[in-house]
Amino acid sequence: MLRLPVYLDHNATTPCDPRVLEAMLPYFTEDFGNAASRNHAYGWQAEEAVKYAREKVANLISAESQEIIFTSGATEADNLALKGVFETYVGKGNHIITCNIEHRAVLDPCRHLEKLGAEITYLKVKTDGLIDLDELESSFKSNTVLVGIMYANNEIGTIMPIKEISAIAKKKGALFFTDATQAVGKIPVDVNEDGIDLMAFNAHKIYGSKGVGALYVRRKNPRVKLAAQMDGGGHERGMRSGTLNVPAIVGFGRACEICINEMSGDAQRMGDLRDKLEIALLDIEGTSVNGNKQSRLPHVTNISFKYAESEGLMAALNKDIAVSSGSACMSASLEPSYVLKALGLGDDIARSSLRFSLGRYTTNDEIDYSIEKVTNAVNQLREMSTHLEK
Ligand SMILES: *Cc1c(COP(=O)(O)O)cnc(C)c1O
C-alpha cells in the first residue's frame, strides 16, 4: 500500500530520518542542558554533543569545526553572510555580484542592502539556468567585495559551475559565498576544492529537523571576517548569539553523518528513479525539461506541460502526489516562477510547469503511480480546456 499523497517535494523539505530523531530525543528530556552553561555536567554534556555534531557537519563539507556557525536555518545563514560581509567590507567596496535565480533568502537581503547603499549586479542566467562565466568576469568593478551564486537551484536543480566561479572571484580579489542548501548532502561539496569562502545550508533539506542551519565561514586563505547580525551572549564565536538549539544541532550532525555514508548510493538510486519518471513524462506530447540536464541534481526534474496549467494540475493531483510549481515560498502567489521566467519561458509555459523532487525513501512503486496519475491529469486537463474553447 502506498501512503498517499506520494511525496515528491523534497526540495521544499524532507522527513526527519528516524535515526536523526533517535539521536535528538534525549536532548529534549534527560540531556537538556544549555551548551553555554560552564559550571555543571548538564552544560558540559550539551557542549560535548554540540562539539561532536559540529565535527560531523564540518566533515560533510571538508571544513574545520571552527568554521561552522550554527544558525536557525539557511535563510538566517544567507542573511548573515550577505549583511555580515557587506557591513565588514564596506570600507573596501560596496559592490556585490549575484544572479537572478537565487532563492528569495538571498535576493531579499540583497534588496535590503541596496537600500543601505550597496550596489548589486544581478547576473542573468542562460536558457539552461547557468550563468555565463564571461559575463561574470566582466561584471567585476574596483569596488566588488563579494560574489554570491547559489550551488544548486531549488526549482530546476541545476548545478552552477562553482569551481570556475570561485576561481574568477579569487582572481579578482573578491570573496565567494554560495547558498548550497540544495546541494549539501546530495552531491559532494568540498569547500576547499570548490574554493568557497562562505556557504549557507540547513538540516531540514537533508533529513534533519527544521529550525537549524549553518554558515560555513573560512578561517584561513583568506580569513573571512563577519559582522554579527544577532548580538547577545557572544555564542558561536561572537558571530551569532543565542542559546544553541541543542537537539536540532545534534540531529543536524547525525543527518550529515548519514549523508557522508549514504549520499552516493542514494544519489544513484534517486537518479535512476528520476530518469524513469522524466522519460515517462516526456512521452506525453508537448512536454519539456527546464534547465541544464547534465549539470543537475540527481533527484530533481522540472517539467513544462504545454496547455496544462500547473494550478489545475496540482488541484487534480493533490490527493495523489505532493509536488510544487516553483518554490515553497512562492507557491502562495499565482505569479509564474521568476526562475522559469529567467530561463526565457513565457508566462503561460512557466505557469504550466511542475517540479518533482525525489527523496531517500522514494520507491519504484511511487514513481510508477506518479507517472500514471500525472499522465492522466495532463490529458484530462487538456481535454477539458479544448472542450471549453469549442
Ligand atoms: C530551503 C532553502 C532556503 C531556506 O532555508 P531555511 O532553512 O528553510 O531558511 C534557502 N536557500 C535555498 C536554496 C533553499 O532551498
Side-chain angles (χ1 to χ4, degrees):
M1 269 301 284
L2 292 184
R3 175 175 166 197
L4 297 181
V6 170
Y7 189 72
L8 293 179
D9 201 14
H10 292 82
N11 281 16
T13 195
T14 57
C16 201
D17 188 302
R19 293 167 290 181
V20 169
L21 179 65
E22 189 191 320
M24 289 171 68
L25 285 176
Y27 293 91
F28 288 104
T29 50
E30 299 99 83
D31 307 329
F32 58 83
N34 184 328
S37 294
R38 292 281 147 76
N39 304 316
H40 49 68
Y42 295 90
W44 302 332
Q45 194 180 26
E47 191 193 7
E48 219 20 68
V50 167
K51 184 172 170 232
Y52 183 81
R54 199 185 299 278
E55 280 164 17
K56 298 300 161 197
V57 173
N59 284 348
L60 178 60
I61 59 167
S62 303
E64 302 290 331
S65 289
Q66 312 97 286
E67 296 176 313
I68 302 297
I69 305 296
F70 286 120
T71 64
S72 63
T75 300
E76 188 192 335
D78 285 332
N79 273 266
L80 177 56
L82 291 159
K83 296 173 181 173
V85 164
F86 177 74
E87 210 179 297
T88 306
Y89 293 88
V90 69
K92 194 170 165 251
N94 65 341
H95 181 227
I96 296 172
I97 301 170
T98 183
C99 80
N100 61 355
I101 64 164
E102 292 290 317
H103 192 275
R104 289 282 302 276
V106 168
L107 293 175
D108 289 359
C110 283
R111 295 282 177 219
H112 179 89
L113 289 175
E114 280 181 295
K115 291 187 198 135
L116 302 181
E119 192 186 327
I120 315 259
T121 298
Y122 299 92
L123 295 173
K124 291 192 171 69
V125 292
K126 298 175 291 181
T127 54
D128 68 354
L130 306 182
I131 61 164
D132 183 319
L133 294 171
D134 293 330
E135 208 174 299
L136 167 67
E137 186 139 8
S138 58
S139 64
F140 281 83
K141 305 175 183 199
S142 58
N143 58 339
T144 307
V145 286
L146 181 69
V147 175
I149 299 288
M150 70 197 323
Y151 208 117
N153 183 268
N154 44 299
E155 290 190 32
I156 54 178
T158 45
I159 301 168
M160 291 285 190
I162 292 296
K163 286 192 182 82
E164 289 80 359
I165 296 169
S166 68
I168 293 169
K170 197 172 184 72
K171 187 173 79 181
K172 300 282 188 179
L175 294 173
F176 176 56
F177 158 63
T178 187
D179 177 343
T181 313
Q182 294 290 351
V184 166
K186 312 291 169 55
I187 55 172
V189 171
D190 180 318
V191 289
N192 297 312
E193 276 187 23
D194 293 338
I196 295 163
D197 297 315
L198 300 116
M199 181 171 83
F201 55 111
N202 71 18
H204 79 88
K205 304 269 171 84
I206 59 166
Y207 308 89
S209 120
K210 292 163 190 63
V212 67
L215 182 66
Y216 160 79
V217 184
R218 180 170 288 283
R219 291 252 287 175
K220 52 177 191 287
N221 306 317
R223 184 186 182 91
V224 177
K225 282 179 283 180
L226 209 56
Q229 301 301 307
M230 190 75 83
D231 298 312
H235 307 74
E236 299 297 274
R237 305 200 341 276
M239 284 192 254
R240 201 280 189 177
S241 288
T243 299
L244 292 179
N245 184 345
V246 177
I249 289 170
V250 167
F252 194 7
R254 184 75 185 104
C256 289
E257 199 172 33
I258 294 168
C259 287
I260 294 170
N261 296 328
E262 302 181 5
M263 184 165 65
S264 69
D266 280 351
Q268 182 66 50
R269 208 179 45 76
M270 285 189 285
D272 289 346
L273 291 176
R274 187 273 312 269
D275 289 347
K276 177 179 180 175
L277 173 70
E278 190 171 272
I279 290 166
L281 295 182
L282 290 178
D283 261 353
I284 307 171
E285 228 177 284
T287 49
S288 51
V289 173
N290 295 310
N292 190 301
K293 283 180 73 176
Q294 275 72 49
S295 188
R296 187 168 57 148
L297 296 169
H299 59 285
V300 185
T301 180
N302 187 307
I303 300 182
S304 291
F305 302 89
K306 227 174 176 180
Y307 312 122
E309 271 217 333
S310 58
E311 294 299 320
L313 260 186
M314 283 190 300
L317 284 170
N318 67 18
K319 282 198 200 69
D320 301 316
I321 315 176
V323 289
S324 89
S325 63
S327 63
C329 7
M330 296 299 291
S331 48
S333 77
L334 291 173
E335 284 293 298
S337 146
Y338 66 85
V339 173
L340 295 181
K341 290 195 70 177
L343 307 186
L345 270 63
D347 281 11
D348 278 357
I349 194 76
R351 267 203 207 90
S352 308
S353 308
L354 294 180
R355 172 185 77 184
F356 301 85
S357 45
L358 285 61
R360 182 175 283 164
Y361 308 110
T362 303
T363 64
N364 189 52
D365 286 351
E366 289 179 325
I367 293 300
D368 285 340
Y369 180 85
S370 302
I371 292 169
E372 189 194 320
K373 291 295 173 180
V374 175
T375 307
N376 291 341
V378 171
N379 289 335
Q380 271 175 14
L381 207 65
R382 285 176 177 173
E383 263 172 41
M384 269 164 57
S385 59
T386 47
H387 284 313
L388 286 178
E389 276 157 26
K390 275 175 198 162

